[in-house]
Amino acid sequence: MRSIDSKIASASSRSSEEQEQEQEQEQENEQQTKKSTNKNKLPPLSKRIFVLSNTIIGVGTISIAFTLKSCGLILGLILLFVSAYLSYYSLSLLIRCKLMTGIGGYTELASHTLGKKFKWIVPFTLFIYTFGAIAGYFTFLGDSLPPLIHKWGDNSLSAHSIWFNREFLITLTVVLIISPLAFVRQITKLGFTSLISLCATIFVVVAVVIQSISRMTDKKVDLAIENGEVVYFQFSTQILLALPITTFAFVCQVNLFSVIQNIMGKSEGKGQGLVLKRDVSDQHQKAKSRRMKIIAFGAIVTASFIYIGISIFGYLQFRGKTQGDLLKNYSSTNNIADSARIAMSLAIILCSPVYFFACRKAFRDTFFPKWEFVGKKFVFLTIVPLIISLGVCLLVKNIVVIFDLTSAIAGNVVVFILPGYFYIKIKNNPHLQLSTNITESSRDYEELSETDSRDDQKNGKLDSGSIKDLITTSEEDEQSLLIQKTKSQKKLKKNQSKWVYFKKNWNSILMIAFGTISGVACTTKSILSIAGVDI
């Protein structure tokens, strides 16, 4: 009996030990799954909004007030709201194209829509545009950092010190700050730096608002005598100066796909861009579309609030004397203005790496389309555009004027013209869409064919009635009449199909028309500024 009891006790102890081991293993597995889920956890929408907002807000923040001076207070705000709406609509079209085709890259979408013959044009255009933007950022840093160091730095430094050298300060900033951030592989990893940049920009807005309110409430100062009256509408050639600023105030299309790529799923295959997982569920697709549009809308609204605050209060203070760089209106002895200049420089430094993502990808797609961002190739594709943009910024004088021209041409194409064209082409060509979207477009074609057939029947009845009335005429006259009527029927059918086509795509067509008009106006302004003609 004792041996049996001892065996039972040992068995029970073993079973309890095994249960404890199993529980420990389950706990370890749960911890590992938690760690893996935390690693694979997607960044929240707020983080994505910060990153996308950081690609919008840049040097143009301190130039928005100049548009109110050029167009008037109300007309300038109208242009700003129109630009914000069109930019958001452009982003929504790119999102729709991504859902319809399953392609998640701007250049890949262009090659899919335009064909292989023209696939190099869009990457080259993107490279020129982003390259010009980065060079403009470097130029701004070179112009703003030396005066700040001269005022806030060591007084024992001579005027010829290297710390006041523009080229040295640009190079030092690029090497120590911008380059390490540019080597980050995922743009969403820059969420924290984007938040700092956004806070620095908000600080600039708050500083401008405080200065403006203090001046407007000062009874000893008459701003109408000092800076002129407030103008609400001004229709003149000065609109050419304001249109490029408002047109490119909300540009973030080039970085849209990089920001929302994790929402869409990981890439499939090599060299094909970011491709959607083909999910048949309509609700899942609608949820993805809703999340992406929230990101785009949040970024546009964030930038709009910043632009409205700094433009209204900046213009109400300086009015007719508002400069293109609003911070230049303030005295060099104004400590609050100097703090705003430091914050704006910090915002531009942290904004440059975010914009560099699109520049690097465009550089790869233009010159090395078969390369992947792996190993030494990734290092090469990162260093070379940085060196080129830095070298051009240091060696070429008046680079801002040159890149104003390239941005005027490339910017309107990238922001307004191509997204509208992509959407029209994909929507009206089912073979360019995923299989889940072909049924919807086929219904549209059936509706078009039904309307055309009804028109043919109506026209046929009219023809039969008219022919009965003309029985008495000669056969030659009848044949000539029939030929004329068939021609008129074809013209009528073409006009009706064009009208139906316009009604179905009028938003995209109008956006393309706006981009074309804006491109012509911005190009004219840039050419006149290069020629030295005052507008």
Side-chain angles (χ1 to χ4, degrees):
M1 292 292 292
R2 292 180 180 176
S3 62
I4 294 172
D5 294 335
S6 62
K7 289 180 180 180
I8 292 171
S10 63
S12 62
S13 62
R14 289 177 183 176
S15 62
S16 61
E17 290 177 356
E18 290 176 357
Q19 289 179 357
E20 290 177 356
Q21 291 178 356
E22 289 177 356
Q23 290 178 356
E24 290 178 355
Q25 288 179 357
E26 288 178 357
Q27 290 177 356
E28 289 179 357
N29 292 329
E30 288 179 357
Q31 291 178 357
Q32 289 178 358
T33 53
K34 286 181 181 179
K35 290 180 180 179
S36 62
T37 52
N38 290 329
K39 288 180 180 180
N40 297 324
K41 187 178 180 180
L42 297 177
L45 292 181
S46 58
K47 191 175 182 180
R48 298 174 189 273
I49 291 173
F50 291 151
V51 176
L52 194 61
S53 300
N54 203 20
T55 63
I56 297 176
I57 301 166
V59 182
T61 305
I62 55 179
S63 301
I64 296 296
F66 183 74
T67 62
L68 304 188
K69 179 228 174 181
S70 302
C71 303
L73 180 63
I74 296 178
L75 183 58
L77 291 176
I78 291 173
L79 288 177
L80 193 65
F81 286 134
V82 170
S83 178
Y85 171 76
L86 290 177
S87 184
Y88 173 72
Y89 185 71
S90 172
L91 293 172
S92 64
L93 289 184
L94 291 175
I95 291 171
R96 293 178 192 176
C97 292
K98 192 170 188 178
L99 291 172
M100 286 191 295
T101 60
I103 297 174
Y106 201 107
T107 55
E108 290 82 3
L109 189 64
S111 62
H112 178 73
T113 308
L114 301 175
K116 295 182 179 179
K117 293 182 180 180
F118 301 99
K119 68 178 183 179
W120 63 273
I121 296 178
V122 175
F124 181 74
T125 304
L126 286 173
F127 176 69
I128 293 296
Y129 178 70
T130 54
F131 178 73
I134 292 173
Y137 288 162
F138 292 170
T139 304
F140 175 83
L141 294 175
D143 295 336
S144 60
L145 290 178
L148 293 174
I149 295 177
H150 180 74
K151 181 178 180 179
W152 296 92
D154 191 358
N155 294 326
S156 62
L157 296 175
S158 63
H160 301 286
S161 175
I162 194 172
W163 294 105
F164 300 145
N165 186 274
R166 173 181 178 273
E167 289 75 13
F168 172 76
L169 291 176
I170 295 175
T171 306
L172 187 67
T173 305
V174 171
V175 172
L176 296 182
I177 302 176
I178 297 177
S179 295
L181 295 175
F183 275 93
V184 177
R185 293 179 180 269
Q186 293 182 359
I187 195 171
T188 52
K189 299 293 185 182
L190 298 176
F192 181 71
T193 57
S194 298
L195 178 60
I196 296 175
S197 177
L198 188 61
C199 292
T201 307
I202 293 173
F203 176 82
V204 175
V205 177
V206 172
V208 171
V209 171
I210 292 173
Q211 290 284 308
S212 179
I213 293 175
S214 64
R215 292 285 292 175
M216 288 189 292
T217 55
D218 190 357
K219 296 181 180 179
K220 298 180 181 180
V221 178
D222 190 352
L223 293 177
I225 298 175
E226 185 177 343
N227 297 324
E229 297 289 341
V230 176
V231 180
Y232 296 97
F233 291 95
Q234 182 174 335
F235 298 94
S236 64
T237 56
Q238 293 289 318
I239 296 177
L240 290 176
L241 299 176
L243 192 59
I245 300 173
T246 56
T247 301
F248 304 125
F250 298 93
V251 174
C252 59
Q253 283 76 4
V254 293
N255 283 316
L256 173 68
F257 296 103
S258 299
V259 174
I260 63 175
Q261 62 177 339
N262 290 333
I263 294 177
M264 309 305 298
K266 296 181 179 179
S267 59
E268 297 176 2
K270 294 182 179 180
Q272 301 296 326
L274 303 170
V275 183
L276 284 168
K277 294 180 178 179
R278 304 194 176 188
D279 192 358
V280 184
S281 175
D282 293 336
Q283 294 181 354
H284 194 49
Q285 290 288 82
K286 289 180 181 179
K288 289 180 179 179
S289 176
R290 193 182 305 112
R291 286 169 61 85
M292 288 185 291
K293 289 183 179 179
I294 288 172
I295 294 170
F297 183 77
I300 296 294
V301 170
T302 302
S304 298
F305 276 114
I306 291 174
Y307 289 157
I308 291 170
I310 195 171
S311 62
I312 292 177
F313 285 94
Y315 173 70
L316 289 178
Q317 180 179 355
F318 297 106
R319 303 181 182 186
K321 295 183 179 180
T322 305
Q323 298 185 29
D325 184 354
L326 182 63
L327 298 179
K328 289 184 178 180
N329 284 102
Y330 296 99
S331 173
S332 59
T333 59
N334 192 329
N335 293 330
I336 297 178
D338 285 339
S339 301
R341 293 186 184 97
I342 295 173
M344 197 67 219
S345 300
L346 177 63
I348 295 302
I349 290 172
L350 298 179
C351 175
S352 300
V354 178
Y355 227 91
F356 183 75
F357 273 79
C359 181
R360 177 173 55 197
K361 189 175 185 302
F363 177 74
R364 190 277 306 268
D365 294 337
T366 303
F367 301 103
F368 307 98
K370 295 182 179 180
W371 282 21
E372 295 291 332
F373 292 115
V374 181
K376 295 180 180 179
K377 294 180 180 179
F378 175 78
V379 176
F380 177 82
L381 293 172
T382 303
I383 291 178
V384 172
L386 277 175
I387 293 176
I388 294 175
S389 57
L390 178 61
V392 171
C393 180
L394 297 179
L395 297 176
V396 180
K397 295 182 179 180
N398 297 326
I399 188 173
V400 176
V401 177
I402 296 173
F403 282 114
D404 277 345
L405 179 61
T406 58
S407 298
I409 300 172
N412 284 284
V413 173
V414 170
V415 177
F416 298 114
I417 297 176
L418 284 181
Y421 177 78
F422 291 160
Y423 181 70
I424 293 174
K425 185 75 176 291
I426 294 169
K427 181 181 178 182
N428 297 300
N429 291 276
H431 66 278
L432 295 175
Q433 304 175 17
L434 290 172
S435 59
T436 56
N437 297 312
I438 293 176
T439 55
E440 296 180 0
S441 58
S442 62
R443 292 174 186 172
D444 296 336
Y445 277 101
E446 288 177 359
E447 291 177 359
L448 287 172
S449 62
E450 287 178 0
T451 54
D452 293 337
S453 63
R454 291 173 185 172
D455 296 332
D456 292 338
Q457 290 176 0
K458 290 180 181 180
N459 293 325
K461 289 179 181 179
L462 291 173
D463 292 340
S464 62
S466 60
I467 291 171
K468 288 179 181 179
D469 295 335
L470 298 172
I471 292 175
T472 56
T473 58
S474 61
E475 294 181 355
E476 294 179 355
D477 293 336
E478 288 178 357
Q479 290 178 357
S480 63
L481 287 171
L482 285 172
I483 292 171
Q484 290 178 0
K485 287 182 178 296
T486 52
K487 289 181 179 179
S488 63
Q489 287 175 10
K490 289 181 180 179
K491 289 182 180 179
L492 181 63
K493 187 176 179 180
K494 287 182 180 179
N495 292 329
Q496 288 175 347
S497 62
K498 289 179 180 178
W499 174 244
V500 173
Y501 182 82
F502 178 78
K503 285 197 297 184
K504 295 180 74 65
N505 304 292
W506 68 272
N507 287 334
S508 302
I509 293 172
L510 290 180
M511 191 178 69
I512 293 173
F514 175 82
T516 305
I517 296 171
S518 175
V520 173
C522 296
T523 304
T524 304
K525 176 257 178 183
S526 300
I527 292 174
L528 291 176
S529 61
I530 291 173
V533 178
D534 294 330
I535 300 175

